[in-house]
Amino acid sequence: MSTDRLKLPVEKLRWTCDPDQFEFTTTEDLPELEGTLGQARALASIDFGLGIRESGFNLFLAGEPGTGRSSTVKNILKKRAKEEPTPSDWVYVNNFKTPDLPIALALPAGKGSELEQDMRELISAVRSVIPKALDSKEYETNKATIVESYQEHNNELFSALETEAQDQGFALQRTVSGLVMVPQKEDRNFTQEEYEALPEEEKERISKIGQELTDKLNDVLRQVRENEKQTKDALAQLDRDLGNATVGHHLDPLREKYGDNPTVVEYLNTVQEDIIANLEDFKPQQPVQSPIPGLKLPRQEPSFERYQVNVFVDNHDAEGAPVVFEPNPTYSNLFGRTEHIMQMGGTATTNFTMIKPGALHKANGGYLIVDAREVLVNPYSWDALKRCIRSAEIKFEDPLEQYRFITIVSMKPEAIPLQAKIIMIGSPWIYYLLFHLEPDYRKFFKVKADFDSRIARTSEVIKDYALFVATHCKNEKLLPFDRSGVAGLIEYSARLVEDQNKLSSQFMEIADLIREASYWAGKDGSQVVDHDHVTRAIEQKIYRSNRIEERMQELFDDGTIMVDTDGAAVGQINGLAVMTVGDHTFGRPSRVTSRVWLGRAGMVNIEREVKLSGPIHDKGVLILTGYLGGKFAHDKPLSFSASICFEQNYEGVEGDSASSTELYCLLSAFSGLPVRQGIAVTGSVNQHGMVQPIGGVNYKIEGFYAVCKSRGLTGDQGVMIPASNERHLMLSDEVVQAVREGKFHIWSVSTIDEGIEILTGVPAGALQEDGSYPEGTVNFLVDRRLREMIESMKKFGSSGEKDEKKNGGTPAPALEGGQPS
């Protein structure tokens, strides 16, 4: 049976984008791309997540970097936010009752800065008006009248008391301990001797009168104190009237202006009360006397910061809802901070004017975009974000407070209600980690927008790709692409995903190629980028990264790594592997050998025995046992020993893409048929002998082609791949041209039988009704060898049993029923 039918024609080796399908001359003729290229599922999820307003329906944009997650959501929000209402301004003002608890006020957009300006003008006016009012003649007259009335009343009280005391023979005198009533004799005070010489009756009379006068003195002093309090109240009322007359005149327009906001009106009332209570602060301050002669101390002016307005969030220039992207979501960048000023002596001071907003405050009423990884790696950010979403408010908290032994007094500004849609962007790996390990995540981020790294190749998508190229060229002022250049770029996109029916949506890499191709076109002096420039950009990109590949190729060339590309050998075949070094991926052949012998050890995977094999590779080897059992043990037990090895392999082996290769090698070892060394093989296999698809097919083919090319192409060389991998072929132009010229071949197989025919040139042979295989076929030879091995094992077991009986020992166990381990 001819195997030529299994050779792939040139047309199937790659998909070629037809430049003639485009209607433009260069991308300068095209408009910019509107919307997103592909990603219908992600766009629908974003639209749902942004539209639903219930709590917890925040978004997580999952996808590989470069798939357009950030640019897509930013473009959507840019248009959407303009149609939404602009959120309120937020200001912080002083809490005159409790200064360490500043008050947050919400005002319509633009009113926050107006209030700040109004308060600045108010204090400026009050500082000018109050001193003038305090120095006015009317104020001084009213103040003097109150004081004089107080003094006159006091004089009347003391005069009446003194007159009564004189009539009783006493005098009111001031001593160190205060006012006292002192008995007198001939207009002078009694001496101690004179008082002691008086009769007891006189002493009692004087003492009685003195006690009565003292009681009256206490009554007078009580009245004086009440009068003093009334006078102070009168002076305070005078100041209050003055303040109301001066400050109220300036505050009344503000109360009217902000009358629809009760919280602002209440704040203005407290401002008026504080100004009136501190009128002395508005008087000119006297210079402080220096304790050192000749040294002038600076004049201590009272601070009026307490009347300032801290415009915390200002939306006066905003058009619609805010869209904030925070690239560095530290705790303070997200939730704000309170700044401090270091003074002499190392003391740090702060006040409500030093409260600064975070990204969450700026995005309030709109949208906040953050990178998931950055949020998770910054201490306290994730936990604080959850608390804000849960409580629907943004609180100023010291994240280190709970870890301190001593509580530090700090400001605790009033919390601000949170009404924002939070959008996190991260890889699928981070998404699944959060979903499974963070219970709160499911409560707060209920919408997932999944960005695929590949999109279906349709005519619409191809046109959008051209618009994408045009947009990048215009935005970054790059050289325009002609039709062939766009076609080459789209072909490279299909190569990235290794699928003729898909295109890559990792636009970061596509955009880089656009820039590089424009650079090489400029180096050539061209005004447009064509297919050759795109090809050169790809080649130069590979050249910058393929040093390791070239060094490995040298090892193949000088025979250090032993790989045959012509002739035939039994139990030896070329397998294919893919290596990734940083940003460069390439394929390389690897010799696989197998040996079989009498025994019952079964299949021995040398890589597994020395722990160089991964679990998937081990699984692939174990499947071979199932294939051999199903194929050849339907009428007999299997009893053999075999080894399989990747020669000159000193690193780990993983994956099952070499399982069919190992099976071909094993069949060759059993049958004794040599395998063509000019053919390299890849593909996994199942227990029924069906060849299954693998990854990296293009790299594997090109890797073996490079070795064959350096050794010299014979026209018989090529690679055998699974038929299910045909759609994944996007081979380089050089390999395609070699196939076109008959110097290299690609075979596509679906079963092990097809593959072994190509490798040996001998038919595989189908199972006949009598349970045998046609004579001369591969399967016949394998089956015969297995029978011969069983017979040999029986003879060995029988002779061993006779020897044991002759020697009186225990007979050796029969090996007929042994199964491969």
Side-chain angles (χ1 to χ4, degrees), residues 10 13 705 713 732-745:
V10 175
L13 300 184
Y705 171 80
L713 295 173
S732 65
D733 292 336
E734 183 179 358
V735 175
V736 172
Q737 184 61 30
V739 174
R740 181 179 288 110
E741 295 174 358
K743 298 178 180 179
F744 199 74
H745 308 283

Side-chain angles (χ1 to χ4, degrees), residues 500-697:
Q500 297 180 4
N501 299 321
K502 301 282 186 181
L503 296 178
S504 172
S505 60
Q506 291 186 310
F507 301 111
M508 181 172 63
E509 190 161 354
I510 301 299
D512 287 341
L513 185 60
I514 293 173
R515 300 182 185 103
E516 293 178 25
S518 175
Y519 168 81
W520 292 114
K523 290 279 286 185
D524 289 346
S526 175
Q527 298 300 314
V528 295
V529 182
D530 59 22
H531 193 284
D532 291 340
H533 297 130
V534 174
T535 302
R536 184 179 179 185
I538 296 171
E539 292 173 349
Q540 290 295 322
K541 183 181 179 69
I542 294 173
Y543 177 73
R544 294 193 299 269
S545 305
N546 73 340
R547 182 181 64 85
I548 302 298
E549 181 184 6
E550 289 187 354
R551 296 295 176 269
M552 187 162 289
Q553 183 62 45
E554 292 174 2
L555 297 178
F556 286 109
D557 295 342
D558 60 23
T560 302
I561 299 179
M562 293 184 291
V563 171
D564 294 335
T565 59
D566 58 2
V570 176
Q572 178 176 302
I573 192 171
N574 291 323
L576 295 171
V578 174
M579 296 187 67
T580 300
V581 182
D583 60 343
H584 182 59
T585 301
F586 61 96
R588 72 173 184 119
S590 180
R591 175 179 288 178
V592 179
T593 60
S594 177
R595 300 299 298 271
V596 296
W597 62 92
L598 289 179
R600 55 182 181 178
M603 197 84 63
V604 176
N605 178 11
I606 294 179
E607 265 73 28
R608 178 185 179 186
E609 297 302 317
V610 297
K611 297 181 173 56
L612 282 178
S613 175
I616 299 178
H617 180 258
D618 292 340
K619 175 185 176 182
V621 175
L622 292 175
I623 287 175
L624 304 187
T625 303
Y627 172 83
L628 292 176
K631 194 82 170 179
F632 303 106
H634 55 277
D635 58 354
K636 59 185 175 300
L638 292 182
S639 182
F640 67 91
S641 291
S643 65
I644 296 177
C645 178
F646 277 78
E647 304 293 351
Q648 293 184 290
N649 174 55
Y650 308 107
E651 62 273 350
V653 177
E654 180 59 312
D656 64 349
S657 63
S659 57
S660 68
T661 309
E662 294 165 325
L663 182 54
Y664 293 134
C665 188
L666 195 64
L667 293 176
S668 171
F670 274 119
S671 66
L673 295 172
V675 170
R676 296 167 62 185
Q677 299 299 294
I679 300 178
V681 181
T682 184
S684 68
V685 66
N686 63 21
Q687 295 188 98
H688 295 285
M690 306 297 294
V691 180
Q692 302 171 141
I694 44 83
V697 63

Side-chain angles (χ1 to χ4, degrees), residues 669-734:
F670 274 119
S671 66
L673 295 172
V675 170
R676 296 167 62 185
Q677 299 299 294
I679 300 178
V681 181
T682 184
S684 68
V685 66
N686 63 21
Q687 295 188 98
H688 295 285
M690 306 297 294
V691 180
Q692 302 171 141
I694 44 83
V697 63
N698 295 291
Y699 299 111
K700 292 177 178 179
I701 294 173
E702 291 166 0
F704 187 66
Y705 171 80
V707 174
C708 293
K709 178 184 175 184
S710 66
R711 300 279 183 88
L713 295 173
T714 64
D716 295 326
Q717 297 151 333
V719 175
M720 192 163 64
I721 66 170
S724 49
N725 277 122
E726 290 181 11
R727 60 173 291 182
H728 302 131
L729 292 176
M730 284 296 295
L731 294 171
S732 65
D733 292 336
E734 183 179 358

Side-chain angles (χ1 to χ4, degrees), residues 33 191 200 244 423 452 539 595 680 694 713 767:
L33 176 66
T191 63
E200 290 298 328
N244 288 331
I423 302 164
D452 199 352
E539 292 173 349
R595 300 299 298 271
I694 44 83
L713 295 173
L767 185 66

Side-chain angles (χ1 to χ4, degrees), residues 89 109-120 254 257-258 311:
D89 287 348
K111 292 294 183 180
S113 55
E114 288 187 23
L115 179 62
E116 189 268 340
Q117 180 65 27
D118 291 339
M119 287 301 300
R120 185 184 295 115
L254 297 184
K257 179 178 180 179
Y258 301 99
V311 183

Side-chain angles (χ1 to χ4, degrees), residues 460 493 682 787:
E460 291 77 10
S493 176
T682 184
R787 290 181 184 275

